[in-house]
Amino acid sequence: NMADIFILLSRNESFGLVFLEANGCRLPVIGTRIDGIPEAVEESVSGMLVNAGDESNVQDVMSLLADNKESRKVLGENGMNRVRTYYTTKILGENFIKICKRNI
């Protein structure tokens, strides 16, 4: 909760739960456009996505957020709202049950 931005530059990641956890703390996030991360990070809504291995792109996005407190606040709030809307244990449990019922 004491951070201003959460950054994880994975080169492979099945989903990216840590991005949702950071959003749940109202933090804007920066992640790579690989595997399941774009499902966890809604680009320009809850955080920013960068190309894996593109240091210039990472530097630009980090500078953009570091220099703009309002953008960090908006992305963090959007991230928290997204977590509350789609990723609570209750919602995930209900969706899991729906999937199981369809496969019976």
Side-chain angles (χ1 to χ4, degrees), residues 33 38 40-50 61 75 82:
R33 278 188 191 89
V41 179
E42 189 172 358
E43 187 163 17
S44 300
V45 175
S46 63
M48 304 296 287
L49 295 171
V50 297
V61 171
L75 291 171
R82 193 164 177 268

Side-chain angles (χ1 to χ4, degrees), residues 25-61:
C25 294
R26 288 189 172 86
L27 291 177
V29 299
I30 299 174
T32 47
R33 278 188 191 89
I34 52 119
D35 300 332
I37 293 174
E39 289 185 50
V41 179
E42 189 172 358
E43 187 163 17
S44 300
V45 175
S46 63
M48 304 296 287
L49 295 171
V50 297
N51 298 320
D54 185 346
E55 289 91 13
S56 177
N57 185 216
V58 172
Q59 205 169 26
D60 290 345
V61 171

Side-chain angles (χ1 to χ4, degrees), residues 31-96:
T32 47
R33 278 188 191 89
I34 52 119
D35 300 332
I37 293 174
E39 289 185 50
V41 179
E42 189 172 358
E43 187 163 17
S44 300
V45 175
S46 63
M48 304 296 287
L49 295 171
V50 297
N51 298 320
D54 185 346
E55 289 91 13
S56 177
N57 185 216
V58 172
Q59 205 169 26
D60 290 345
V61 171
M62 287 174 64
S63 293
L64 175 77
L65 290 182
D67 294 340
N68 193 326
K69 185 176 181 178
E70 185 59 29
S71 289
R72 291 194 313 267
K73 182 178 179 186
V74 169
L75 291 171
E77 288 297 322
N78 288 345
M80 170 61 94
N81 292 334
R82 193 164 177 268
V83 167
R84 286 181 175 161
T85 302
Y86 300 108
Y87 295 103
T88 65
T89 53
K90 181 177 189 264
I91 292 167
L92 292 174
E94 289 169 353
N95 288 337
F96 182 74

